[in-house]
Amino acid sequence: MPLPRRLSRELPERDGESVRIAGHLEEYRALGGVAFALVRDGSGTTQVTLKKGTTDPALFATLEGLARESVVEVEGTVSRSTKSRRGVELLPSRLEILSVAEVPLPLGVVDRVPAELNVRLDHRILDLRKPAVRAVFELRAELLAGFRAAFARRGFLEVETPKLLRQGAEGGATLFAVDYFGAPAFLAQSPQLYKQMLIAAGLERVFEIAPAFRAEPSDTVRHITEFASLDAEVGYVTDPEEIRALLEGIVVDAVAATREALLRSANPLASGIPELHPPFPRIPFATAAAALGRGLDDDFGTDEEKAIGERAEREHGSPFYFVTDYPSAVKAGTFYAWRRDDDPSRTGYFDLGFRGLEIASGGRREHRLDRLQENMRRAGVDPARFASYLEGFRFGMPPHGGWGLGVDRLVQGLAGLPNIREARLFPRDRYRLEP
Ligand code: AMO
C-alpha cells in the first residue's frame, strides 16, 4: 500500500472514517490515562489521542521516549473532538515508526523562542518544517502559478535561455567566472541578450522564470547571489508606457490570484497581500529626485527608494509604483536601453517599486544596430565581443522592450519578510554555499 500523504487537512471532513496518516512527531505527552501525539504532515498537524483501556497498550510503549521529529505512520479512526486544536482527533489502532530522529535537534521546530536567521538557514530542512515558513513557499508557488497564467492569457511563450555564457550583459563587477573546460565562461546575470535575440527570432512575446547569478559582494537584506529572475520581452512596442501597462496588468493578475489561492487554503500570509487598484502611480525620475532634493546623476540609494515608496503610499495609496524616464546618465552602462530620440538625456527605462523595494526594471530597447553599437562603445563595451547578439539586429529586429523582475524580492515584500534570504528555500550569498 502506498504511504499516505498530506491528509491532515482533510480530517475534519472525514469524521468516523478509518484513515492512515504519516508525518513528523511534533510532540508526545502522556497525562495519566490519556496520551497525545501531534503528527505533522505536509498539510497540517493532527492530534492522535491514545486512551488507556481503549487503545492498544503497545502503542503507548512505541511512542514513549520516541524522539521529536521522528517519522511515524498512524492508522486509526477520525473522531470529532472539541478539545483538540482542529476539532478532530485520530484514535489509533496501528502505529509504525518509519524513521527515528537523532537527539538533540540542532534547531527546534516548535520552539517559542525564535532562532537567529543564520542558524535557521544552517538547518533549513528543520526550519522548513515550521508551518509559518512553509507558508512562504506556498505563497511563492501560487505567485509563480499566477504569473504563468497571466503570461499565458496574454499570448506569451515560456522559454529557457542558457545560464553558462561567454559574455555578461549587466556589467563586469557582478560576474561569476567559471572554468569551462579550460576556457573562461560566466554564469548568466540576466537572460537579457537572449530574450532580445528571441525577439529577433520572431517569437514576439516571451517570458522566462529562471535563476540569475550576481557576485554581489555587499551583505544586504535585499541582495543574494542567486535569485529568480522573471523576464519578459515583447516585440513591436515603441512606447515605454505599453510595456509598463503590460507589466502592471501581469503583476495585478498574479498578486490577485495569489491572494485568492491563499485565502482559499487559509494561509496566514493571505491577509498581508494587498488588494491592488491600478493604475499604479507613474513618477518621473526627475520628479522623485526633486522631491528628495538631489540631482539626476546616479540611481537612488536604499533610503531614497524607501522615501519614494512611502510617498507613493501616502499620496497615491498604492504599494506599487513606477519610477519612469530614467536619465541616460544613470543607465550609461545599460547599452541595450533606448535613449529618447527627442531627448537623448532620457531613456525609455523605468523601475517598478513595491513598498520602497525595487522589484523590477525594464523599458524600451535600442533596436537600431548603429545606435546600439554607439551605446556599447560609450559604455566601454566592445561590439566585436557580442557578435552573436548583434546578429539579431543585423537581419531584421523589431522594435521591442521588456523587463526583469526579482521574484525573491516580490515574495519578500508580499510575505512581509525582513530578509530576502527567507524568500528562498536554500539562499546563496557571499558567505553561504550550503546547505
Ligand atoms: P536589474 O539588474 O535591475 O535588470 O535586475 C532586475 C531585477 O532583479 C532583481 N535583482 C536581484 N534580486 C536579488 N538579489 C540580487 N542580487 C538582485 N539583482 C537584481 C531586482 C531587480 O529589479 N536585464 C535587466 C532587466 C531588463 O531590462 O529587462 C536587469 O537585469 O528585483
Side-chain angles (χ1 to χ4, degrees), residues 169-170 189-193 195 213-214 216 222-233 331 334 336 349 351-352 358-363 365 401-410 420:
E170 312 294 338
Q189 298 159 302
S190 148
Q192 183 62 40
L193 306 185
K195 55 183 182 171
F213 304 92
R214 306 247 174 131
E216 296 281 357
R222 50 172 68 190
H223 289 95
I224 39 183
T225 51
E226 181 181 22
F227 69 96
S229 190
L230 183 151
D231 282 85
E233 203 65 28
K331 291 286 173 194
T334 311
Y336 49 81
Y349 250 66
D351 273 6
L352 174 67
E358 178 205 316
I359 295 295
S361 69
R365 322 298 187 188
W403 67 82
L405 179 149
V407 172
D408 313 277
R409 285 194 185 173
L410 184 52
I420 190 170

Side-chain angles (χ1 to χ4, degrees), residues 25-39 46-51 60 63 81 83-85 89-92:
L25 178 68
E26 196 166 287
E27 199 185 328
Y28 178 71
R29 262 179 306 135
L31 310 157
V34 38
F36 304 100
L38 295 180
V39 177
T46 294
Q47 178 180 304
V48 179
T49 310
L50 300 83
K51 297 175 182 166
F60 287 86
L63 286 175
S81 139
K83 281 185 226 107
S84 78
R85 238 191 288 176
E89 62 188 355
L90 188 63
L91 306 174

